[in-house]
Amino acid sequence: MSAPAGRCGRQLGRAHGEVGSVSLLLVVAVFGLLIAVGLVVDGGQKLRSSQLADDTASEAARAAVLSIQPGNTIRGLRPQVNEIAARKAAESYLQHAGVTGTVTVSNGRVDVHTTSSFTPSFLSIIGLGTQTVTGQASARLARGVDQEQP
């Protein structure tokens, strides 16, 4: 009795030793695609977190600079920043925003440095843990419409 056509010891269309090679290629391609998606998604999340840290620092510095000593301003003198009130205003803003940071006030200038963190969604699968981002901003009190006045 003869063997059916195409069943003579090996299957038609497949070379000996290549069984399963497409499956391995597919696994590697899917893994690479997941890494690429993770870089895009988690990279965007890091940019948003960094921007939030910078924006929070900017707003805290702005809130601090608005803490002026009213006596000088009423008398028509150059406005001066009340350093104690400025520090409290910036720290209060940071606390309400839920961001940790440091505030430095000296010579009418306010410097705010913030620290925030986020956990990647996709890249945590490959072991990338919580990431820290920082922000910073400075502000000083100035008066004038077209140009700063003394």
Side-chain angles (χ1 to χ4, degrees), residues 53 56-57 60 87 90-91 93-95 98-104 111-116 135:
T56 304
R87 184 181 316 281
E91 289 172 350
Y93 187 91
L94 291 175
Q95 182 180 10
V99 176
T100 59
T102 59
V103 179
T104 306
D111 295 310
V112 180
H113 297 275
T114 58
T115 304
S116 184

Side-chain angles (χ1 to χ4, degrees), residues 43-57 114 116-118 132-136:
Q45 186 178 2
K46 183 171 184 170
L47 286 174
R48 282 191 306 274
S49 297
S50 181
Q51 185 178 17
L52 178 63
D54 280 336
D55 290 346
T56 304
T114 58
S116 184
S117 62
F118 75 98
T132 302
V133 293
T134 59
Q136 64 180 16

Side-chain angles (χ1 to χ4, degrees), residues 9 12 15-16 52-54 60 64 71 76 82-83 103 105 129-130 144 146 149:
L12 293 176
H16 186 64
L52 178 63
D54 280 336
N82 182 337
E83 292 187 9
V103 179
V105 182
T130 301
D146 293 332
Q149 299 190 9

